[in-house]
Amino acid sequence: MSDRGYRPPRALSPLREHLRETFWFAPTLALVCAFVLWLGAVELDAQLLGFLRDQQAYDEIQDLVSVAEDTKTIVATVSSAMMTFIGVVFSISLVAVQMASGQLTPRVVRIFVRSRISKLTLSVFLATFVFSLLVLSSYESETDPRQVKSVPFVQSVLTAALVALSLLLFIAYVSSTLRLMQVGPVVDRITRDSLRVLGRMPAGRPQEEPLAAETGQLVHEGRAGVLRDVNVARLVRSARQQDVVLRLIPRLGDFVVPGTPVLAVHGGAAPPRRRLRYTVSVGVERTLHQDLAFGLRQLSDIALRALSPAVADPTTAVQCLDRIVQFLAAVVDLPLGAVHHRDRAGTVRLVQDVPGWTDLVDLGFEEIRRCAAGSPQVTRRLLAGMDDLVLLAGPERQKPLIRHRALLVQAVERTVPDAAEREFALLPDRQGIG
């Protein structure tokens, strides 16, 4: 994408992203960590008790027993109340997410699912609950310092620490959930995720020589669904071992069914099927891991819903247009249309089709332009955004922008009969109307 050297893809990148799309992995890992932490605390308590007993420090042991007994009520209260607290908090959160998806777009639910603070909060809540239950099993009725076998002092301290951490995370979680209901943070998050996709695209010169003749195709086997991402590292390695070039036929985000050609082979025999297992991920909906256009799709959906007669919120549409222009400005100078992934020797091994400049401009402006003719706030922002991009784009990339601008002017002229109102609606303004 630029003159910098090619960055090899991380081998575990697809797995990491798939785990981020789930809501079970982090809480499950937290439960395991809570059990391991409890085992470690039990061992520390045993060593502390053994050391004091060897020193015949029975007064100190009695003090530890007293502290542990005092905290027993707290631990019991935490264990009984934490699950109720979790249920109430996340019930309210799900209502907030439902409201946000109804006001903006259902695709904002993925922001909640991928949110680190949401997963961390649930994980710590569950870990605190499980840890407190395990600590209760360490208490015993014996209080004689010479006879006591277990003093859960360290365990009690850790329980109190987990409760304090839970309260801090609860505050952060509520703040994060409230931001999810605001348009600005949501569109900013979508834009930042889209720019990360752009940053992960290979850097370096494009393919200078044409591909060798196509020698075969590999079809999709498995369930039908949306092409979510591909394991670039494994495909590049397989192509290098076979000394061929692989070309991904569908774009990320395309819907594929069994039998659909997915990979084309150039320059030799196709790699064995076993080498290509788990290289193509198909799911029920698109993700932003490698899909360059999905961010624009979400921003366009939010703007279209805001412009619908049932919502009538042109200011939200303007906020989406701000981010659409930001993203298009970031790609205005980049070579688009095909991404070339290279092996360690610098040889192209995988060619991946991505949306071109015209595709991205159409995705960002076409549907919004069709719905914006009656809203001067949106038409003024559209014209200002297009004019800014025309100044940034080279001569070969100005054509789709000029076309959309002309179509917008025509639509406003047909929709707005009064000349003064037309003049006002066709005046570029980066804020729409103030």
Side-chain angles (χ1 to χ4, degrees), residues 35-49 131 134-135 137-138 149-152 154-155 158:
F35 184 74
V36 173
L37 180 63
W38 175 73
L39 292 177
V42 169
E43 182 63 25
L44 287 176
D45 281 329
Q47 291 183 7
L48 178 60
L49 181 60
F131 189 84
L134 294 172
V135 171
S137 67
S138 298
K149 297 180 180 178
S150 173
V151 181
V154 176
Q155 300 172 62
L158 288 177

Side-chain angles (χ1 to χ4, degrees), residues 30-31 38 45 47 53 75 95 97 105 120 129-130 155 159 175 177 218 239 255 267 272 281 297 316 369 393 396 415:
L31 295 179
W38 175 73
D45 281 329
Q47 291 183 7
R53 185 165 288 159
V75 174
V95 173
V97 171
T105 172
L120 181 60
F129 171 70
V130 171
Q155 300 172 62
T159 301
S175 175
T177 303
L218 298 170
F255 192 87
S281 174
R297 177 72 274 162
T316 293
R369 175 179 57 75
E396 69 283 355
T415 305

Side-chain angles (χ1 to χ4, degrees), residues 140-162:
E140 59 181 37
S141 58
E142 181 63 57
T143 58
D144 185 351
R146 289 176 172 79
Q147 301 296 327
V148 69
K149 297 180 180 178
S150 173
V151 181
F153 173 75
V154 176
Q155 300 172 62
S156 301
V157 172
L158 288 177
T159 301
L162 286 174

Side-chain angles (χ1 to χ4, degrees), residues 296 299-300 320-329 364-365 368:
L296 284 181
L299 293 173
S300 180
C320 293
L321 285 170
D322 292 339
R323 300 301 180 169
I324 290 173
V325 172
Q326 176 188 354
F327 180 80
L328 292 176
F365 291 141
I368 300 176

Side-chain angles (χ1 to χ4, degrees), residues 82-145:
M82 187 56 71
M83 283 305 295
T84 302
F85 183 63
I86 293 173
V88 172
V89 169
F90 280 87
S91 296
I92 296 173
S93 302
L94 292 178
V95 173
V97 171
Q98 185 178 10
M99 292 178 59
S101 65
Q103 293 173 355
L104 302 176
T105 172
R107 276 155 287 281
V108 301
V109 177
R110 66 172 295 277
I111 298 178
F112 176 80
V113 173
R114 289 176 60 90
S115 171
R116 288 188 175 94
I117 188 65
S118 299
K119 295 178 181 178
L120 181 60
T121 302
L122 178 61
S123 300
V124 173
F125 283 5
L126 291 175
T128 303
F129 171 70
V130 171
F131 189 84
S132 61
L133 289 180
L134 294 172
V135 171
L136 284 176
S137 67
S138 298
Y139 284 95
E140 59 181 37
S141 58
E142 181 63 57
T143 58
D144 185 351

